[in-house]
Every structure is written in structure tokens, then in C-alpha cells.
Amino acid sequence: MRSTFIRIFTTALLSLAIPFLTTAQSVDDITPRPVEVIKEARGHVTIDGKAHIVFDKQFGAQADFLKEMLSAQTGLNLPAYPNTPDKPKASHHIRLVFDNKTIDKAEMYTLTVSGKDVTIRAKDTGGMVYGIQTLLQLFPLKQVREVKIPDVHIKDYPRFSYRGMHLDVVRHMFPVEFIKKYIDYLAFHKFNTFHWHLTDDQGWRIEIESYPKLNTISSWRKETLIGHFKDEPARYDGTRYGGYYTKDEILEVINYASVRGINIIPEIDIPGHSRATIAAYPELSTRPDTTWNVATTWGMYNRQNNVLQPNPATFQFLETVFKEVADLFPYEYFHLGGDETSKKWWKADPVSQQFIKDHNLKDEKGLQTYFVEQVAGYLAAKGKKVIGWHEILEGDLSTSTLIMNWGGEKEGITAATRGHQVIMAPGKPLYFDHYQSKDPNDSLAIHGYNPLDAVYNFEPIPAALRERKLDHYIIGAQANLWTEYIGSEAKVEYMVFPRMTALSEVLWSPAEKKNFTDFKRRLNTAIIPRYTFWKAKYFPNFEQWTADK
Ligand code: TNX
């Protein structure tokens, strides 16, 4: 009796605490800025708990996604029904419509708030997800019972077809739950690609059945460096570190990402960055008689041997492993690394030198190209195309390979001029493992200075390419997050926010719509509250630290 009374009493109190009617967030706060917003000053659509989500059959998973996101954000629990003649009636709807007539571009959507309904039109998963993200930005970030969304018509599509964020899970590994959260961060910002850096000198993070020692040995390092790798003397934490994602976990992530319109690019980094591999299988190294450790420090390039030897066992290994991984990931592109392959270990190795002679290769750069083309061939047999870091251009390479350029404009121009499609990922300003302030007390980063305005003002297409009408070779850009000095989820968030939000506008919005002052206004009114809603950390001093400091 008493408990029933308390229950009724608390329910009454709770419903008083939930505002009955709340106005929507301003359409001027949508980030990244849409292509076209037409405000129709006439009326509004009221969405309360009695409204229905109605979806065309292509968008069932996105209807569930909207339902879940809306409920978490506002407490409104709307039922979702397929768009069939016998669907239950409601006075207001959020309609998810498949439309390949008015929607004439990939990843495009329109969002119309008018009459009794909110209608999102798209012809692909990406477009629908982005329309949903925009709509969610029109709802308040708090529990409500009813929202009035002012009439509006939004037409929106991306400036670039490749919009990526990378995460290194080798130097530090993050649980599947966080990988999903990271994918949610990407989807909110209308990115479409998650580049998953899965192997490196310090570990192997994906389950492989054909070479089990990759998981029993390569996935684990004895200990980890403390502080910066240039500190003297080097100190280590004495704690074994490692792990790997099982195939089931990877499939779970793939499914999660696909509902959100995110493609995943897995990276297996060869023929350098292979110290963890040769620790398990020394016969693949230039010194098969050596016992290698899985690296415990950072910055191995030219300092410690981490390259594969060109021998039959190595190519057998590459073919088997790349095919096994290719079977897991359903996407068109596969990243084979190719960065920072030190040539000195090949120079010092008679077997590598003999291989170069026997195969009429020019030199060690030619050998690097040989590795890339072998792997590209294995993957082509699986219907995949390859992406590599720009160093793979050092030799002559077939132009079907997509280049991910972490150098500057110069390397991007070279790659495009040679007829390669290019993803721009220049260290300056798109390495988010670099500092975002010059405050000596800022959290440890690798080096560099990439403040928020430098990211916001980044233009992916070099002027020289535009002048020569080669700009279409630049398909987009990506920020990289190497995690040598990023050991926690909170630090990941601190390093990416708000720089990732700035990059989203570079990649999505028309260049002429960009405005840094307005962007900072939106950060304060809408985006920082969103980070807070996510309980995500972010770097707060972006006003103070600018490129001219
Ligand atoms: C270079 S960029 C690397 C990574 C490091 C990074 C640190 C690239 C393709 N390779 O292995 O983590 O620098 O910023």
C-alpha cells in the first residue's frame, strides 16, 4: 500500500520534471553544415510519444537505429512500422522513404518538416543515416514529452566521397564496446569510413586461424615503454600487454558499422612494421636464426629490424593471411600498409639481394613494390582493391592502387599526377596524435602542433591540382590517430574532439559554406553539449591555441 503510494507519487514528480513541450534545437546549429536549408516560416510538426516511425523496406535497420537514438536522446519511444497499407494509423510520422528519383547523388538525403510529418528521403544507407543524424540534431538533448520542429526543407550531400577516421589499436588496444562508440562518433559526423589499423610492430590484433602463433605470440608484448620514446633512459612498465579481436567480435563490429553507413578498411601493415609477425615466425625475417621480441618501444623505423624477407615462406604467409582476412571483411578496399619500410635490413641481407637480382628489380624500392603488387594480386583474386601509404609510390606501381598520403601536398600532387586516386591524410594538420596546444602541461603527445583552426582551414585539394584539372583524383581525406601515447578511451576522445568535428565540416560541407567563427559558435551551442551528452572528453582550450601561436 505504502510502496504503491510512493510509486505513484514519484511517477507524478518525474513527469513534472520532464518538460511538457520543448522547442527543437536550431537548424542553424546543424554540423557539419548542410548544402541547402530552406526555412519555411509557416508552422511546425509536433512529435510526441504517439507519433510513428514509418519506413520503406530498405531502411528497416535505420528505423531501429533512429528509434534507439531518439529514445536515448529524448526519452521519446516511437514505434516503427514498415510502410504497408495495413500499418497502424497515427496523426504524425517520421517517414524514412526510399527515393531514387529526386535523390540523384550517392549519400544524399532530403529532410522535410512540413504538414503532419517529418520525411527523410534517401537512396542508400549512408544518405538515410545522415538524414537521421540531421534530424536528431533538431531534437533537444534532454528528456521531453513533445517537441515542435519548425517547418524546414534540407537538401544535403557530401563534398567528398571518402571521409575517414583511423584508429591504431596496436600500440594500445580498445575494447569492442569502444570501437562501436568510435563508430557512433563517426556516424554522427557523417564520416563514412573507419580505418582499423590492426597490425604493427607492437602487436597483432586480429584472430588468424591459419597462423595461430600470430595470436599466441604476436598479439602480446612483454611490457610497454613509459613516457616518450626519446626520453633517456628508457623506462618500461614491466606489464605484459596485448590481445586481439576474435572473428566473431570483428563481425559484430562490421554489422554495427553497416547499419550506420560506415565502411571499414582493415589494415595489415607489410612489408615493414612487421616485428610482431617475425617474433612468431622468424623464418619470415631477414635473420631467420634470430629470436625477435614483439616491440616494446615506439618509432622502430631504421632503429630495429622489422621487415619481411622475400622468400617462398613469406609469400605463402602473405597470400594465406591476406585471403583469410579478406574473407572476413565485405568491403571493396583493403589496406596493406607499406609505410616506413626501412631498406637497410634488405641491403644487409644476401637472400633479399639475390631476390632483387633474380627478379630483375631495380633496388630495394623495387622490392617494396614487388611486395605490394604480390599482395594486390592475392587480393584481386578475392575481388578487392588495395590502398597503401604513399611510400609505396617509391617504385613503379599500377594505378589501380589507391594512395593514402600522410606526407604533404607534394606527395599528393605526385600521386594524382601519376594517375592514382588519393586520400589526403597529411601529418600536418590531420595527425590527431599531435599536440593541439603548446601548453607544456598538456597531456603527452608524439610531437607536432595541429590546433583546431589548422584542421578547420585544411583544404584537401592542392591548388596545383585544381589548376591542372586533376582535382578529381583527390577523393577525400582522413585523420589518423596513432596511439603510442594514447592509452585510454578518455585520451582518444580528448585527442579527437573537437578536431574531428572540424574535419567533418571540411569533408562534408561545400567549401564556400565554411566559416570558422560560426563553427566555433556551433561548437559551444550544440556540439560541446553533445560531447557532454556522450560523456566524452574533449580538448577545451581551442579558442586560445591557434595556428599563429
Ligand atoms: C608514422 S604515418 C607511422 C606510424 C606512427 C606514426 C606516429 C604512418 C603510416 N606510419 O606507424 O604511429 O608515424 O605519428
Side-chain angles (χ1 to χ4, degrees):
M1 174 61 183
R2 191 158 170 258
S3 72
T4 321
F5 173 75
I6 292 176
R7 207 168 333 118
I8 293 172
F9 185 69
T10 10
T11 321
L13 260 187
L14 262 180
S15 49
L16 276 183
I18 300 177
F20 192 74
L21 186 119
T22 316
T23 41
Q25 295 248 103
S26 168
V27 75
D28 298 327
D29 286 353
I30 295 168
T31 303
R33 288 194 80 172
V35 172
E36 190 180 293
V37 176
I38 302 171
K39 294 184 206 167
E40 327 220 356
R42 281 171 305 172
H44 58 257
V45 173
T46 304
I47 299 293
D48 60 15
K50 294 200 286 291
H52 291 178
I53 298 169
V54 174
F55 58 92
D56 283 349
K57 60 179 188 304
Q58 292 85 349
F59 297 130
Q62 286 66 45
D64 288 342
F65 171 68
L66 167 61
K67 187 175 151 63
E68 212 179 283
M69 298 294 279
L70 191 61
S71 162
Q73 180 177 326
T74 65
L76 288 170
N77 279 303
L78 308 192
Y81 299 105
N83 187 16
T84 54
D86 57 346
K87 64 179 179 291
K89 295 219 173 342
S91 52
H92 299 283
H93 308 91
I94 300 177
R95 295 186 187 275
L96 310 186
V97 177
F98 178 84
D99 177 346
N100 56 8
K101 296 201 181 64
T102 57
I103 302 300
D104 56 6
K105 291 179 180 57
E107 302 186 285
M108 174 178 167
Y109 70 91
T110 59
L111 170 64
T112 308
V113 181
S114 174
K116 292 180 168 247
D117 293 344
V118 172
T119 307
I120 303 174
R121 297 177 174 275
K123 64 170 179 175
D124 49 35
T125 302
M128 184 49 69
V129 171
Y130 308 136
I132 290 171
Q133 297 293 357
T134 294
L135 176 61
L136 289 168
Q137 290 191 45
L138 294 180
F139 280 90
L141 269 171
K142 60 178 174 206
Q143 302 291 300
V144 291
R145 289 203 279 160
E146 184 177 297
V147 181
K148 285 191 187 310
I149 308 180
D151 287 357
V152 70
H153 180 74
I154 297 171
K155 176 177 166 183
D156 205 11
Y157 49 85
R159 178 177 170 208
F160 289 99
S161 65
Y162 185 101
R163 304 178 303 284
M165 283 292 302
H166 151 289
L167 183 66
D168 165 11
V169 295
V170 174
R171 278 56 177 267
H172 287 100
M173 190 177 173
F174 303 91
V176 167
E177 280 317 305
F178 184 74
I179 302 295
K180 290 182 177 171
K181 208 177 198 189
Y182 197 73
I183 285 169
D184 277 325
Y185 294 155
L186 266 64
F188 173 83
H189 288 94
K190 302 184 170 91
F191 284 88
N192 62 4
T193 309
F194 169 48
H195 173 173
W196 206 355
H197 184 77
L198 287 164
T199 73
D200 215 305
D201 298 316
Q202 298 81 6
W204 187 284
R205 302 276 175 254
I206 171 173
E207 179 182 9
I208 298 292
E209 283 156 83
S210 50
Y211 285 83
K213 283 195 278 179
L214 288 174
N215 298 127
T216 53
I217 296 178
S218 312
S219 294
W220 304 91
R221 61 179 179 251
K222 194 171 131 241
E223 57 189 355
T224 302
L225 189 81
I226 298 172
H228 201 278
F229 90 88
K230 290 192 173 149
D231 293 351
E232 301 262 7
R235 288 183 305 132
Y236 295 86
D237 65 4
T239 309
R240 184 172 138 96
Y241 184 94
Y244 58 91
Y245 302 105
T246 64
K247 289 190 170 175
D248 282 346
E249 287 173 325
I250 286 176
L251 288 174
E252 189 183 324
V253 171
I254 290 171
N255 285 335
Y256 191 84
S258 78
V259 171
R260 289 154 180 79
I262 305 280
N263 287 336
I264 300 178
I265 293 188
E267 180 185 354
I268 303 292
D269 199 352
I270 60 107
H273 284 273
S274 296
R275 179 67 166 230
T277 306
I278 62 176
Y281 298 99
E283 63 272 28
L284 311 184
S285 79
T286 58
R287 301 289 304 275
D289 53 346
T290 306
T291 308
W292 307 104
N293 67 340
V294 175
T296 56
T297 184
W298 321 126
M300 302 280 283
Y301 182 59
N302 274 343
R303 293 168 65 230
Q304 294 191 35
N305 190 335
N306 60 356
V307 302
L308 300 176
Q309 186 187 61
N311 68 46
T314 298
F315 291 111
Q316 180 64 56
F317 169 87
L318 292 173
E319 176 162 13
T320 311
V321 169
F322 272 89
K323 284 187 168 169
E324 187 175 327
V325 180
D327 281 340
L328 197 57
F329 289 89
Y331 313 100
E332 186 181 9
Y333 280 101
F334 200 110
H335 203 306
L336 50 67
D339 56 315
E340 298 181 322
T341 308
S342 168
K343 310 298 182 294
K344 68 194 238 191
W345 322 110
W346 283 339
K347 282 201 174 106
D349 171 33
V351 174
S352 302
Q353 291 305 311
Q354 192 60 45
F355 190 93
I356 289 173
K357 273 203 203 100
D358 292 349
H359 291 78
N360 293 318
L361 305 172
K362 223 190 274 159
D363 50 16
E364 291 74 24
K365 291 178 181 170
L367 177 55
Q368 172 175 286
T369 306
Y370 184 90
F371 267 99
V372 171
E373 300 221 307
Q374 285 304 113
V375 173
Y378 309 146
L379 290 167
K382 291 273 177 190
K384 310 259 177 222
K385 297 185 189 152
V386 297
I387 305 184
W389 298 106
H390 69 269
E391 290 101 313
I392 65 174
L393 276 179
E394 287 169 355
D396 291 320
L397 193 70
S398 115
T399 55
S400 62
T401 304
L402 212 151
I403 300 299
M404 187 172 275
N405 169 36
W406 66 282
E409 284 211 334
K410 189 168 134 268
E411 289 81 358
I413 293 168
T414 306
T417 309
R418 282 170 54 181
H420 292 270
Q421 291 198 311
V422 185
I423 297 158
M424 295 296 268
K428 223 172 158 44
L430 296 188
Y431 268 38
F432 291 177
D433 60 331
H434 291 195
Y435 283 104
Q436 49 202 328
S437 83
K438 289 186 178 172
D439 180 346
N441 296 319
D442 200 353
S443 187
L444 181 68
I446 185 160
H447 52 231
Y449 179 47
N450 288 335
L452 183 67
D453 62 337
V455 177
Y456 191 83
N457 293 322
F458 171 66
E459 168 49 45
I461 299 181
L465 287 180
R466 194 184 303 282
E467 280 155 25
R468 290 158 57 197
K469 302 218 177 340
L470 295 174
D471 39 333
H472 58 279
Y473 282 111
I474 308 290
I475 63 166
Q478 167 175 302
N480 292 333
L481 198 71
W482 304 100
T483 56
E484 288 93 334
Y485 305 99
I486 303 179
S488 70
E489 298 167 18
K491 180 87 180 265
V492 168
E493 293 166 346
Y494 175 84
M495 297 307 276
V496 298
F497 296 139
R499 291 187 286 192
M500 172 177 173
T501 309
L503 179 60
S504 79
E505 195 146 299
V506 171
L507 290 172
W508 181 276
S509 307
E512 64 278 9
K513 284 223 160 183
K514 279 173 63 189
N515 176 326
F516 190 53
T517 309
D518 186 67
F519 173 73
K520 284 189 294 183
R521 179 191 66 74
R522 284 177 282 132
L523 273 186
N524 286 313
T525 56
I527 299 298
I528 289 173
R530 181 72 60 168
Y531 301 154
T532 308
F533 169 70
W534 290 333
K535 298 189 173 62
K537 291 274 177 299
Y538 63 95
F539 172 73
N541 303 324
F542 52 83
E543 290 277 3
Q544 183 186 346
W545 294 105
T546 49
D548 56 9
K549 289 282 150 55

